[in-house]
């Protein structure tokens, strides 16, 4: 196990919000930006570069109750844990693309294209091992790794049965529900969103019928097509948000099982404002905060966007020079809210940023 101490670079800033015909945040209330892992770029007033970072294509982050950050890498093939004091430790993966290690210590495991991680209140880390078509678990108590859903082979099947007998096809995103007893799963190539009950181990489909298309507002989600469910996250009211990269849209499944589009006009581009008139460009990941706002990693727009379900608006909170220093993003992917702070995985720059007060 390799251990290194990574100092936290704190960058206090006044973060403006890019809006179309809407007021900006007052200076006194503007969030602050910090670089947690990695460094500022020359164009941001720093002297670092992506190659300086200890991370290689980080893709997802989440936290345990002690404030430890878990980081998974897409290309680097490693899992890291960063303490609140800034100590970065490699806890799993060796950088190769494989599927091995189950039943043994996590440090000896191998992965293939991890996309994100979800950590339960008891510290167990669930990993979307995407190109192995499965979900792996690192047990906080024993340090062992196991597969809890998927067989390692691409396919579709197993609804109503245990996760270890079910098949998936490119698990791109997994997130815990509000009560932390189920994992929502973006089963990309099966064009479905599925859920794994962590108590029973049973898998079910909650959205998508396997056909490609735009779902009709008000239709039953399980009977509806999806364009390409890239990411999924639930809010405190058990609404399930589905982000579609090719569909350029954010959709939601309400507790009664019906689906509707809530943000994105469906065409590729950039525009803030009323959510259904706004534009996204290859969005890739999302998270929900304590006020049930949705944050979106808008990949090709190089921005992080905020969907406010009460106001029905989509706004920009970071990227393309927004921030002081002027923050530039490259292929932003993972977004995660922890203790009213928004963490952004700036994949192309091999770094992790933190925004204070993202609600303002």
């Amino acid at each position: 196990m390799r251990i290194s101490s990574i100092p936290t670079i704190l960058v206090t800033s006044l973060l403006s919000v890019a809006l179309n015909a809407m007021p900006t945040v007052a200076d006194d209330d503007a969030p602050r930006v910090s670089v947690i892992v990695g460094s500022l770029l020359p164009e941001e007033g720093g002297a670092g570069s992506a190659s300086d970072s200890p991370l290689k294509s980080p893709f997802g982050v989440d936290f345990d109750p002690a404030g430890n950050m878990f980081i998974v890498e897409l290309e680097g093939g490693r899992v890291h844990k960063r303490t609140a004091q800034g100590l970065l430790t490699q806890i799993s993966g060796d950088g190769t693309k494989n599927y091995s290690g189950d039943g043994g210590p996590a440090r000896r495991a191998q992965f293939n294209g991890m996309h994100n991680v979800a950590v339960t209140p008891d510290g167990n880390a669930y990993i979307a091992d995407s190109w192995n078509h499965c979900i792996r678990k690192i047990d906080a108590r024993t340090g062992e790794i196991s597969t809890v859903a998927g067989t390692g082979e691409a396919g579709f099947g197993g609804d109503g049965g245990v996760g270890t007998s079910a098949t998936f096809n490119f698990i791109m995103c997994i997130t815990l529900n509000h009560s932390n007893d189920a994992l929502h799963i973006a089963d990309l190539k099966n064009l479905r969103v599925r859920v794994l009950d962590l108590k029973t181990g049973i898998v079910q489909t909650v959205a998508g019928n396997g056909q490609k298309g735009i779902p009709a507002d008000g239709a039953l989600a399980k009977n509806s097509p999806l364009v390409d469910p890239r990411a999924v996250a639930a809010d405190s009211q058990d609404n399930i948000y589905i982000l579609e990269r090719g569909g350029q849209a954010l959709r939601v499944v309400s507790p009664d099982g019906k689906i509707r589009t809530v943000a994105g006009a469906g065409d590729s581009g950039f525009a803030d404002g009323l959510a259904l008139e706004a534009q996204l460009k290859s969005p890739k990941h999302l998270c929900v905060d304590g006020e049930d706002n949705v944050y979106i990693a808008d990949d090709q727009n190089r921005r992080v966007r905020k969907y406010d379900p009460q106001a029905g608006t989509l706004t920009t909170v970071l990227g393309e020079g927004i921030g002081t220093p002027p923050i530039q993003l490259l292929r932003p992917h993972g977004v995660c809210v922890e203790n009213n702070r928004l963490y952004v995985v700036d994949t192309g720059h091999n770094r992790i940023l933190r925004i204070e007060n993202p609600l303002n």
Side-chain angles (χ1 to χ4, degrees):
M1 184 180 295
R2 185 175 64 202
I3 301 177
S4 59
S5 180
I6 308 300
T8 298
I9 303 173
L10 296 177
V11 183
T12 303
S13 69
L14 299 176
L15 183 65
S16 60
V17 179
L19 303 171
N20 278 1
M22 299 180 67
T24 58
V25 173
D27 287 350
D28 290 344
D29 297 326
R32 302 184 304 274
V33 179
S34 305
V35 182
I36 301 303
V37 181
S39 56
L40 285 174
L41 307 172
E43 57 266 38
E44 299 166 337
S49 68
S51 61
D52 297 331
S53 175
L55 303 178
K56 183 179 180 181
S57 292
F59 242 53
V61 298
D62 201 5
F63 292 80
D64 69 13
N68 297 304
M69 176 193 291
F70 289 75
I71 308 163
V72 296
E73 300 174 321
L74 177 70
E75 295 179 12
R78 301 170 297 177
V79 182
H80 302 272
K81 182 168 75 172
R82 181 190 181 277
T83 68
Q85 294 73 39
L87 182 67
L88 191 72
T89 306
Q90 182 179 328
I91 63 172
S92 193
D94 63 3
T96 61
K97 295 180 179 180
N98 211 328
Y99 179 27
S100 67
D102 278 4
R107 65 180 180 273
R108 297 179 183 173
Q110 295 173 311
F111 305 89
N112 191 2
M114 291 178 285
H115 271 68
N116 79 312
V117 57
V119 185
T120 59
D122 55 7
N124 294 323
Y126 291 86
I127 296 168
D129 195 359
S130 304
W131 300 332
N132 280 327
H133 313 291
C134 67
I135 300 171
R136 318 275 292 275
K137 172 188 172 183
I138 298 178
D139 190 289
R141 184 178 60 85
T142 66
E144 291 188 352
I145 191 166
S146 60
T147 295
V148 297
T151 64
E153 298 294 328
F156 173 73
D159 271 8
V162 295
T164 50
S165 297
T167 49
F168 302 84
N169 197 345
F170 275 55
I171 295 175
M172 304 303 282
C173 172
I174 56 172
T175 52
L176 288 159
N177 64 349
H178 189 67
S179 55
N180 295 301
D181 58 6
L183 282 174
H184 288 107
I185 305 164
D187 192 2
L188 179 64
K189 290 194 174 182
N190 281 324
L191 300 173
R192 290 175 169 91
V193 171
R194 302 167 79 180
V195 61
L196 173 69
D197 188 309
L198 296 180
K199 295 179 179 178
T200 66
I202 301 299
V203 172
Q204 299 283 358
T205 293
V206 295
N209 61 7
Q211 302 299 310
K212 187 169 185 175
I214 299 172
D217 281 357
L220 192 64
K222 290 191 293 185
N223 296 340
S224 298
L226 293 172
V227 177
D228 57 347
R230 177 82 185 205
V232 58
D235 70 8
S236 65
Q237 304 303 310
D238 293 325
N239 295 298
I240 303 170
Y241 285 94
I242 301 169
L243 186 66
E244 298 202 306
R245 183 180 184 181
Q248 316 290 351
L250 177 68
R251 314 192 199 279
V252 66
V253 179
S254 54
D256 63 3
K258 294 181 179 179
I259 193 168
R260 60 191 174 91
T261 300
V262 294
D267 54 337
S268 178
F270 171 73
D272 276 331
L274 294 175
L276 288 173
E277 298 175 4
Q279 291 176 307
L280 298 159
K281 192 173 184 180
S282 296
K284 293 176 68 173
H285 196 67
L286 80 169
C287 67
V288 181
D289 69 14
E291 300 295 324
D292 288 341
N293 298 300
V294 181
Y295 294 88
I296 298 170
D298 194 3
D299 180 7
Q300 293 302 300
N301 276 323
R302 301 187 179 191
R303 290 172 166 90
V304 174
R305 317 282 291 280
K306 173 185 172 182
Y307 167 66
D308 183 333
Q310 298 300 316
T313 56
L314 192 70
T315 57
T316 297
V317 298
L318 190 69
E320 288 300 279
I322 295 174
T324 305
I327 296 297
Q328 302 291 333
L329 300 175
L330 180 61
R331 302 197 311 277
H333 187 269
V335 285
C336 174
V337 171
E338 175 71 9
N339 289 331
N340 201 39
R341 295 167 169 174
L342 176 63
Y343 291 81
V344 178
V345 181
D346 188 10
T347 299
H349 293 137
N350 292 325
R351 65 182 179 176
I352 298 171
L353 307 173
R354 181 176 70 200
I355 305 175
E356 308 282 351
N357 283 337
L359 298 181
N360 291 329

